[in-house]
Amino acid sequence: MAKMTLEELRKLRSSQKSEMERRDVEGKEIHIIVGMGTCGIAAGAKMALDSFLDTIKSNNLTDVVVKQTGCMGLCYSEPTVEVKVPGMPDIIYGNVDAAVAKEIVEKHIMHKKMVENHIQDKPAGDIIK
Amino acid sequence: MHYSLSDMILDLFQNSIEAGAQRIHLDIVREAEELKVCLKDDGCGMTEGELEKSKDPFHSDGIKHKHRKVGLGIPFLIQTVEQAEGSFEIQSEKGKGTLFSIRFNLGNIDTPPEGDWAGLFFQALCFDGEYELIINRKIIGEEGKVGEYLLQRSELQDILGNFNESGAMILLRDYLKSQEEELLDQ
């Protein structure tokens, strides 16, 4: 990859924005929240985050908000990821490696079907505000 | 123990965010077999007593995790530096901020690999909240040849808008990767 300048970055962003405006996605946002505490990172949360971004990009999805958070208190099942899709219950997935992250985007987000065998309980009590 | 140095620095960086820092400077400078990391924030800082307690792997203030003792990540730094002939210094002042000056010895076989600096910068830039982050990444090669790049969060936000939006995040990741790749190629 050639070194990108700030000016090139600005141009790419503005063409991306005009594409988004054309699709009118306001208020229909999907949220993916990746646990990025020490435990999450040690278990491969960075790979999961990369896989989320790659799959979002390859499917041309524009209405997704990706956030990172600290430890969700489920260290035994890291990497953990919370997925919020309008019209569906909020789900916390556990043991999300790159392949599972791809599956979450393709099944849960694009086809409204939950990914079995990776659904966890709520975060630990001391984390919920 | 962290797998890589970049993961360890992320832990310390997260402390700065949670200390309410508005302005954070991060310098990552490699010269020959030495990696110097300087992390400076204007967060809530620590008293001398608190700083001493932070070196305990199980010390936490009980606010973020009420029933768990998960520590601040500082003991990981101390362990790594001590086992691999590095050095560190922490200066902190209550209400003013904290400064870490760290020197890792890359020539020592027990020093963990450097890891993914572009990935660290990406995460450090994408935390929620309003804060300024200035990153200076530099490699001083043989015969004093210097390669470097500078990142400023406010400038990148001005171009990309909200980093949490996936489109902006993808562009930011590509931008950071391209900066780091170019630097390593030099």
Side-chain angles (χ1 to χ4, degrees), chain B:
Chain B
M1 172 57 78
H2 290 66
Y3 173 70
S4 74
L5 298 179
S6 62
D7 289 345
M8 187 188 307
I9 303 304
L10 179 68
D11 235 6
L12 301 177
F13 184 85
Q14 218 162 347
N15 291 344
S16 296
I17 294 287
E18 288 175 10
Q22 295 296 302
R23 202 174 170 83
I24 307 169
H25 282 264
L26 176 63
D27 297 339
I28 309 274
V29 180
R30 190 174 81 195
E31 183 170 13
E33 293 202 323
E34 210 172 74
L35 183 82
K36 287 182 191 154
V37 178
C38 182
L39 174 64
K40 185 182 176 196
D41 73 50
D42 64 354
C44 63
M46 295 175 276
T47 62
E48 237 171 82
E50 285 168 339
L51 181 58
E52 215 37 58
K53 279 187 193 158
S54 75
K55 295 173 185 169
D56 170 355
F58 303 108
H59 170 74
S60 54
D61 58 12
I63 296 170
K64 185 181 170 194
H65 304 287
K66 267 188 189 144
H67 306 293
R68 293 187 287 150
K69 300 240 172 243
V70 290
L72 277 169
I74 293 172
F76 287 124
L77 167 69
I78 297 173
Q79 183 193 21
T80 306
V81 160
E82 283 181 351
Q83 77 174 11
E85 296 177 306
S87 62
F88 75 100
E89 194 187 340
I90 311 172
Q91 292 168 22
S92 195
E93 198 177 332
K94 193 77 183 167
K96 289 267 176 71
T98 302
L99 168 68
F100 283 87
S101 309
I102 310 164
R103 191 184 60 81
F104 293 109
N105 182 348
L106 299 177
N108 187 301
I109 198 166
D110 288 324
T111 299
E114 287 187 59
D116 174 14
W117 293 116
L120 164 75
F121 301 155
F122 176 69
Q123 287 184 279
L125 288 161
C126 288
F127 280 100
D128 264 343
E130 287 299 316
Y131 59 93
E132 178 63 302
L133 167 61
I134 293 167
I135 296 171
N136 181 16
R137 167 82 172 119
K138 193 189 281 190
I139 296 179
I140 304 171
E142 284 170 25
E143 296 158 15
K145 192 178 164 226
V146 178
E148 68 182 316
Y149 60 86
L150 197 74
L151 304 167
Q152 190 173 349
R153 190 172 189 251
S154 56
E155 187 177 47
L156 291 165
Q157 262 176 335
D158 181 47
I159 294 171
L160 294 171
N162 181 0
F163 287 157
N164 290 328
E165 198 258 295
S166 58
M169 223 176 194
I170 288 165
L171 285 179
L172 177 65
R173 189 181 59 161
D174 290 349
Y175 178 75
L176 297 174
K177 268 190 192 164
S178 81
Q179 304 300 307
E180 184 68 15
E181 277 171 16
E182 171 87 9
L183 182 70
L184 295 176
D185 281 348
Q186 276 174 24

